[in-house]
Amino acid sequence: MAVPSGGEGDDRAIWLERFHAGDRDVLEACYREHFRTVGQAIGQVLRGADRETVVHDVFVDLLANANLRRGFVGGAFATWIGVVARNRAVDYWRRYRREGALDEAATEGAPSAPAERMEEDVGARLLMAQFRSEVLPEKWHTVFEHRFLLGLDQREAARRLGISRTTLAYREAQVRRLLGRFARRGERSHR
């Protein structure tokens, strides 16, 4: 049963009731008629395999989540599903952008020429490599990577490292102390 276009009639009310109930024919029609709409909305944020993953996640959630379906109360279905899809893409991007924290840091702030950004990236990476090899004990390398380079929160970093959050917090404090000393040493050498 296709999404009724316009009007307030009985057909629209029946369609909405069936949609909220998760009727298979109605959801199949939504998929067929709005796959492109969802893909375009997500394509504003994501590309490639990530785009395809989120497109299918939106439709799987539409099938499985009655609360999501009840979020549509009428009006233009294409607009509603497009907003849902774009928001899902933004959430996905935010969740996974931390994996490229160094790349993201280079793109934040005032835009600069590509050569300047590359030079800043290289300089930052060299400093971090120097800190890691000359100052940081090897036992804290993974904490440094997860918390400072990847930008993971404490819960996620502790989970990935297989340690308690309190242990991670202690090690992180030690890394911060050493990093502070390293930074102050660098400031003195530039005076």
Side-chain angles (χ1 to χ4, degrees):
M1 177 176 203
V3 180
S5 56
E8 294 290 324
D10 290 338
D11 287 346
R12 192 141 181 88
I14 292 168
W15 180 90
L16 188 58
E17 184 178 316
R18 290 179 67 189
F19 175 75
H20 286 166
D23 181 273
R24 180 180 175 181
D25 293 336
V26 169
L27 294 176
E28 179 183 348
C30 289
Y31 179 82
R32 291 182 187 279
E33 293 175 25
H34 297 286
F35 184 85
R36 180 173 282 162
T37 300
V38 169
Q40 288 171 341
I42 292 169
Q44 295 171 0
V45 180
L46 301 170
R47 300 279 181 258
D50 290 337
R51 178 182 169 272
E52 295 303 317
T53 297
V54 176
V55 166
H56 291 289
D57 284 349
V58 167
F59 284 109
V60 166
D61 204 19
L62 198 60
L63 287 168
N65 187 341
N67 287 330
L68 176 62
R69 291 191 305 272
R70 281 193 290 274
F72 178 66
V73 293
F77 184 81
T79 302
W80 177 80
I81 195 71
V83 169
V84 168
R86 187 172 192 294
N87 289 345
R88 191 68 56 93
V90 169
D91 290 345
Y92 183 93
W93 178 78
R94 284 178 180 155
R95 190 170 40 250
Y96 290 99
R97 73 181 176 175
R98 291 181 179 177
E99 292 175 5
L102 286 176
D103 292 335
E104 178 187 329
T107 61
E108 288 180 356
S112 58
E116 291 173 20
R117 285 195 313 260
M118 189 167 65
E119 187 176 309
E120 290 171 3
D121 277 355
V122 169
R125 289 174 195 218
L126 287 173
L127 274 174
M128 291 301 101
Q130 181 184 6
F131 169 70
R132 178 190 248 159
S133 67
E134 294 178 12
V135 177
L136 190 64
E138 189 172 332
K139 64 184 177 182
W140 293 333
H141 283 195
T142 56
V143 170
F144 178 70
E145 287 172 21
H146 285 75
R147 288 289 290 142
F148 296 89
L149 299 181
L150 294 176
L152 298 176
D153 63 36
Q154 283 187 341
R155 290 183 201 281
E156 180 62 17
R159 186 188 66 74
R160 288 190 185 186
L161 294 171
I163 59 176
S164 73
R165 191 168 168 206
T166 54
T167 300
L168 179 93
Y170 168 77
R171 292 176 185 174
E172 180 182 335
Q174 298 304 313
V175 171
R176 283 185 194 281
R177 181 179 55 78
L178 293 172
L179 191 55
R181 285 184 187 165
F182 179 75
R184 286 189 295 279
R185 185 179 82 193
E187 289 174 0
R188 283 193 302 270
S189 69
H190 286 95
R191 287 183 187 170

